[in-house]
Amino acid sequence: MSQAINFEAIDIAHQKLRLVDELSVWPVWENGQRIYRLERRDAKRFYRVGIREYTFISLLDGNTTVAVACGLSASKLGTDALTSDESEAIVIWLVEQGIAVLATDLLADQTLIESHSERPSRKTTWLQRFNPFWTQIPLITNAAKINWLLQGASKCFGPVSVLLGILVILGGITAFVLHRDSVYESSRDLFSRNGWISLLATWIVLKIIHEAGHAIACQRAGGETSEYGIVLILFAPLAYVDVSSCWRLSRRSSRLYVSAAGMYVELLVAACAMFLWLMTDEITTRFYLANVIVAAGVSTLLFNANPLMRFDGYYLLSDAIGISNLQTESQLEWKRIRRRFFYGERSGGSHYRGMRRAFLIV
């Protein structure tokens, strides 16, 4: 949990920070350069920092002040080390993201936790567990039980199989464009009262297939899936699978492969439904096939591929441009702009520079 601290009221240079215990760090190579990935295991959040930032961060042990850590990193990196302003910006970012805490506040936080550990708030617990906007219900928490199934299915995600699948998808898209008016005519009752029930049932089944695609691709790429279940968004059920471990994969192509797997499977289903639609003239069968085409094809492109929503397209974009937690970083960037514009605050600038910072603002 990040701390609500007024950094304008304290001297950051003389503060001592300590990295949280739930943090894991490991080096990876990207584009011929060594970077470091940070994982907050409790929140399942991943971050990416360069060697300049990591050298400074690694010195924050709760006993070393920010100024001393900045000097030590300068003795190691020379002119490549962070400046004092950049170090202070990193400190603010670390605290805002919950990666580090001020050492002076650490004991107070622990005392607060201990004093309330025996008296949990029933109201808060109830709201967290029964939040109507987002209720997550784990169904399988021991993925080892179904790993054999994922490993078997992963054979269908080999290079040749995926290439053939892409050709089928392209053929299905072409067929849909040529016959879209007839498909829309077949689905004209899709949004009627009875059609909505059919659409919802089809959508739920497709989302299970979608999440299975992510799990299978993650297994093949060398990652692991730790949890399966359903999430209720305004009481509408959706399947989910935890494939956050793919962020530990060193190859970006593997991570992009896992992120795109769900959309790939749904579009493949939509393409097959399109070919079956062309092969039959039976009205009811065409209606249900059009149902699948709309739910698996059109909605996937409109929602899952949309980078402005936190679905697959968002994570593909985030990883492609090398900015983890893209939405959070963008919100923090605009928060800093508002502080600077309305309150004249000059500290707490982003640790992203140049085109990346411009991209966050856009």
Side-chain angles (χ1 to χ4, degrees), residues 47-48 93 96-97 307-308 314 317-338 348-362:
Y47 306 87
R48 174 187 180 277
W93 176 75
E96 288 177 339
Q97 296 297 328
L308 299 180
Y314 163 83
L317 177 63
S318 177
D319 202 15
I321 62 178
I323 300 180
S324 303
N325 302 297
L326 177 60
Q327 183 186 53
T328 301
E329 293 292 347
S330 298
Q331 291 173 343
L332 288 175
E333 192 60 49
W334 275 101
K335 184 178 180 180
R336 296 182 188 105
I337 292 175
R338 291 196 302 269
S350 173
H351 62 288
Y352 290 102
R353 295 290 183 267
M355 292 301 296
R356 285 189 176 182
R357 183 172 182 270
F359 187 87
L360 288 175
I361 296 174
V362 173

Side-chain angles (χ1 to χ4, degrees), residues 237-278:
L238 283 177
Y240 80 88
V241 58
D242 182 6
V243 292
S244 58
S245 66
C246 72
W247 282 98
R248 301 189 186 100
L249 301 175
S250 58
R251 296 178 59 185
R252 180 181 299 181
S253 59
S254 297
R255 299 193 300 271
L256 296 177
Y257 168 75
V258 175
S259 297
M263 290 188 293
Y264 163 77
V265 172
E266 278 204 74
L267 290 175
L268 184 60
V269 171
C272 292
M274 184 66 223
F275 290 130
L276 291 174
W277 183 92
L278 292 172

